[in-house]
């Protein structure tokens, strides 16, 4: 089954404790992206990746890191999480940025 | 001015009516346009995508794109209660922001029986 898998689905943690949200796709897609969703603000792009070892900042990259060492994986790293990063996060992938995105099920992060 | 802006909601229509959702964008170099539907607590799912000026129809859904006026719209004919959801407009950039995808803030649609 073609899918984008995110883990964990839910996480409650504390300020400053490094965390990683994993994202994996099995569709051999070149393009992958991370978004955060907050009430009234829609989806805001954090980082995107056109291919392995190629990443670019989206609209809200501050406080986040990403890496793309393999085509299928695109982890999101919060090195020192803060409460303003409490949000719903989505990973997505597509063949290229001009094709429809396939979304993961989302990760709800709460940072206390 | 927001890069991608959707008509403010919430939008409420009776069952069987036409729902009209609008989206304007600021980047004239944008070439790809998407409409996603998102049910509460779920991930976005694709409804339509359009690349060329004009209309594109798929069942009860029609996407309309006007690049000169920088707007894209989604019409839902014969609206059903199951269409009640948040609708997200997304615009893909070329040029200096090649690969960047920008979403609007979403419009909540309620279809009442």
């Amino acid at each position: 089954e073609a899918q984008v898998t995110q883990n964990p689905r839910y996480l409650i943690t504390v300020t400053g404790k490094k965390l990683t949200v994993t994202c994996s796709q099995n569709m051999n897609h070149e393009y992958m992206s991370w978004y955060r969703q907050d009430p009234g603000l829609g989806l805001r792009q954090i980082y995107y990746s056109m291919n392995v070892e190629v990443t670019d900042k989206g609209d809200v990259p501050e406080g986040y890191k990403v890496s793309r060492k393999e085509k299928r994986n695109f982890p999101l790293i919060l090195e020192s999480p803060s409460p303003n990063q409490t949000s719903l996060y989505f990973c997505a992938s597509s063949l290229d940025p001009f094709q429809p995105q396939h979304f993961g099920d989302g990760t709800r992060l709460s940072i206390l | 001015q927001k890069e991608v802006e959707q008509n403010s909601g919430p939008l409420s229509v009776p069952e069987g009516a036409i729902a009209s959702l609008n989206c304007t964008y600021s980047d004239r170099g944008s070439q790809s346009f998407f409409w996603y539907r998102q049910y509460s607590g779920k991930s976005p799912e694709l409804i339509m995508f359009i690349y060329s000026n004009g209309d594109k129809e798929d069942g009860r859904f029609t996407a309309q794109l006007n690049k000169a006026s920088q707007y894209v719209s989604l019409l839902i004919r014969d609206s059903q209660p199951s269409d009640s959801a948040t609708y997200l407009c997304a615009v893909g950039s070329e040029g200096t922001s090649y690969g960047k995808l920008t979403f609007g803030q979403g419009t909540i649609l309620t279809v009442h029986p």
Side-chain angles (χ1 to χ4, degrees), chain A residues 58-106:
Chain A
D59 289 319
V60 288
E62 295 78 19
Y64 305 94
K65 284 178 60 177
V66 292
S67 68
R68 187 94 182 270
K69 293 183 170 57
E70 308 165 279
K71 183 184 278 193
R72 64 182 293 126
N73 296 322
F74 190 43
L76 179 70
I77 303 157
L78 285 71
E79 297 240 334
S80 183
S82 61
N84 64 12
Q85 293 176 299
T86 292
S87 188
L88 178 59
Y89 291 84
F90 288 102
C91 179
S93 73
S94 59
L95 284 170
D96 62 55
F98 308 110
Q99 300 297 319
Q101 304 268 288
H102 296 252
F103 284 85
D105 288 336

Side-chain angles (χ1 to χ4, degrees), chain A residues 11-79:
Chain A
L11 178 64
I12 301 173
T13 187
V14 295
T15 299
K17 187 177 180 181
K18 181 179 178 179
L19 67 91
T20 299
V21 185
T22 63
C23 175
S24 181
Q25 50 92 5
N26 62 359
M27 295 168 279
N28 202 34
H29 284 167
E30 303 280 343
Y31 184 83
M32 296 187 74
S33 185
W34 275 104
Y35 304 89
R36 62 176 288 174
Q37 187 171 35
D38 303 289
L41 295 178
L43 286 164
R44 292 182 291 168
Q45 194 172 42
I46 303 171
Y47 272 95
Y48 59 98
S49 170
M50 303 289 283
N51 209 331
V52 176
E53 302 293 359
V54 179
T55 62
D56 281 292
K57 295 178 181 179
D59 289 319
V60 288
E62 295 78 19
Y64 305 94
K65 284 178 60 177
V66 292
S67 68
R68 187 94 182 270
K69 293 183 170 57
E70 308 165 279
K71 183 184 278 193
R72 64 182 293 126
N73 296 322
F74 190 43
L76 179 70
I77 303 157
L78 285 71
E79 297 240 334

